[in-house]
Amino acid sequence: MSSNASIGHGRTILYGLPNLSLSVVHIPMALYLASFYSVSVGLQFGLVGLIIALSRLTDVVTDPLIGIASDRWQTKIGRRKPWILIGLPLM
């Protein structure tokens, strides 16, 4: 496949389909989480937004670092499986 060849809509949809089950849980949480922390916990709405934004900004750094490490780290069970096992409890 050449570098300018189109992947196609079908493959793109199939690529993103496994994330659908996570989105069903994460999107409502993202919508109501800030309101919950602000109203129920008593944090200022701006502070909640800042904390959520900072957590997303840390992903800008950690996601590529974990990707590079998982590309280069070879174990007996494979390159990706240890990272999946480490991340599973955190998820």
Side-chain angles (χ1 to χ4, degrees):
M1 182 186 298
S2 66
S3 63
N4 62 356
S6 175
I7 294 174
H9 294 297
R11 280 196 174 173
T12 304
I13 290 170
L14 288 174
Y15 179 78
L17 197 59
N19 195 41
L20 182 63
S21 61
L22 292 174
S23 295
V24 169
V25 175
H26 288 155
I27 289 175
M29 264 179 75
L31 291 174
Y32 295 111
L33 190 65
S35 176
F36 169 77
Y37 281 134
S38 181
V39 173
S40 299
V41 179
L43 294 174
Q44 293 178 357
F45 205 65
L47 179 62
V48 173
L50 179 66
I51 291 169
I52 292 172
L54 289 174
S55 73
R56 302 309 316 165
L57 283 174
T58 60
D59 288 343
V60 171
V61 175
T62 59
D63 288 356
L65 290 177
I66 291 172
I68 291 168
S70 71
D71 286 342
R72 296 180 181 175
W73 195 35
Q74 184 65 36
T75 66
K76 291 181 182 180
I77 61 172
R79 292 185 306 179
R80 309 280 189 248
K81 289 179 186 172
W83 295 99
I84 293 170
L85 294 173
I86 291 168
L88 190 61
L90 298 173
M91 183 66 171

